[in-house]
Amino acid sequence: MKLLFEISKEEHVCDLLPALDVPETTLPEKERRGTLLPLPQLSEIELSRHYTRLMKRTFGVNTGFYPLGSCTMKYNPRINEDMAALPGFKDVHPLQPEHTVQGCLEVFADTEKAICEITGMNAVTFQPAAGAHGELVGVLLIKAYHESRGDTKRTKIIVPDAAHGTNPASATMAGYTVVNIPSNAEGCVDVEKLREAAGEDTAGLMLTNPNTLGLFDKNILEITKIVHDAGGLNYYDGANLNAVMGIVRPGDMGFDVVHLNIHKTFSTPHGGGGPGSGPVGCKDILREFMPVCHPVEKDGKYTFSNPARTIGSVKAFYGNFLVVARALTYIRTLGADGLRCAATHAVLNANYMQKKLSEYYDVAYKGLCMHEFVLTLQKVKEKTGVTALDVAKALLEYGIHPPTMYFPLIVPEALMIEPAETESKDTMDEAVEIFKKIYDEIRTNPERLHEMPLTTPIRRPDEVGAARNPRLRYVEN
Ligand SMILES: *Cc1c(COP(=O)(O)O)cnc(C)c1O
């Protein structure tokens, strides 16, 4: 497909500028460009067609089934967009005086209340822009806590091997050494190994429950107690909250600090780079260290305050406000019962698909799952040479987005499937048929699977090359 620069034609224009409403002045010579800016020239219809063509070549939740494990690609109700697009939300400026944006502050305050209720925490910051960013902030809160007590020998953060890759990365960025502990045969935390690892040098534990295998750790109270007894704090990676919201709360499981991915659980479109929001909730013991711009209410007026011993600012201004406005809309439309219902349906859907697919593929950890489950194609690969990547590419050919591949790292040839609660039984049945069709092809024509996908706009790009040597700007030749 051609780029805008390539379809550009001289004198094709759509430069409808509004009438000048300020006095006209000329830019001083030294501020002016020496040459014209090489912008593409197109008419409005050309531009419109270009973006419509691009749109048709992408795949999104609105195009088809998107069972991307760990990402919770649920359908995002349109009412969220309508609310976020209200002029009083959309057109505000971050430097506006507080008394002119009381409604926006109220949105922050109400969402904070809701998230405290859902997670069992006492305060929430909205500054972090994504899940990984929230993790870093959470670990920095843990660090500030220990330092405030003069407890400086705590240099380690314990992270189970089933954790999301961002957990060890965030702990490392915060200056900690990561202690990895293996999972047990059931795919959960090996409690004995944790007991051995926890000690005077433990700053804390990072855990997601349900974990990235889609399993709820039944020993969670014992796990968080081991860390507390050793003097550490517990961090809850809330990216998998979709399975448990309205049912159990991290605060009641023994966690002191949590981040949520509101772009996952609370229905903001994601993928392709954001904007997201990774609010961090904490218990009272960490409140005084929270980042700046914490919304508070006093005598019916809202204002931003800076906690007494704040770790400082972790993002410009207040975070991605419109994502928070969407989340509040979503939470309010569903209500407490609705949120719980979303979680139970997410779990039901995952178990339905797991059961159906287990007729054809190996499930890595058998038994009931939560919101997602992991298949392993290790045996298929040994017998036929067909890999998890081949199956993922074949799914693209048949019109569904592939699951997460090769993650979690402890499962060889992994495909991690998360249908989410917004999919119907019919959609899941169609997907199962496609998985079955691929299963039949694995047995009859494995070679063809190495060629997949056959008819998509791009087939097998060099993914490593694209990540290592990205071409980020158009170079005119
Ligand atoms: C998505 C995810 C993260 C990271 O969130 P981002 O918003 O992508 O930074 C962390 N942990 C788990 C388990 C996740 O699924």
Side-chain angles (χ1 to χ4, degrees), residues 68-72 129-135 162-167 170 207-212 235 237-241 259-264 270 276-278 371-372 407 416 418:
L68 190 64
S70 215
C71 291
T72 309
H133 194 191
E135 290 171 27
H164 197 262
T166 48
N167 290 185
S170 303
L207 194 76
T208 171
N209 192 28
N211 66 17
T212 54
Y235 181 91
D237 172 344
N240 291 329
L241 196 80
H259 91 260
L260 299 184
N261 290 56
I262 59 183
H263 46 285
K264 293 179 182 171
H270 64 296
S277 174
H371 60 307
E372 62 193 1
F407 178 77
M416 182 196 218
E418 179 183 10

Side-chain angles (χ1 to χ4, degrees), residues 344-354 419-423 428:
T344 52
H345 278 82
V347 173
L348 179 64
N349 280 1
N351 278 287
Y352 179 73
M353 273 200 84
Q354 175 176 262
E421 71 280 8
T422 42
E423 296 303 332
M428 289 189 292

Side-chain angles (χ1 to χ4, degrees), residues 65-73 161-165 187 208-215 237 239-240 264 349-350 353-354 357 361-365 369-377 387-389 391-392 395 400-420 435:
F65 189 41
Y66 207 132
L68 190 64
S70 215
C71 291
T72 309
M73 302 296 283
D161 62 1
H164 197 262
T208 171
N209 192 28
N211 66 17
T212 54
L213 294 162
L215 305 171
D237 172 344
N240 291 329
K264 293 179 182 171
N349 280 1
M353 273 200 84
Q354 175 176 262
L357 290 181
Y361 298 89
D362 290 334
V363 178
Y365 291 86
C369 64
M370 298 297 285
H371 60 307
E372 62 193 1
F373 59 94
V374 183
L375 302 178
T376 170
L377 274 84
T387 62
L389 178 76
V391 172
L395 288 167
I400 65 181
H401 194 282
T404 299
M405 309 178 289
Y406 298 98
F407 178 77
L409 301 176
I410 54 177
V411 177
E413 295 299 319
L415 286 179
M416 182 196 218
I417 298 171
E418 179 183 10
F435 270 96

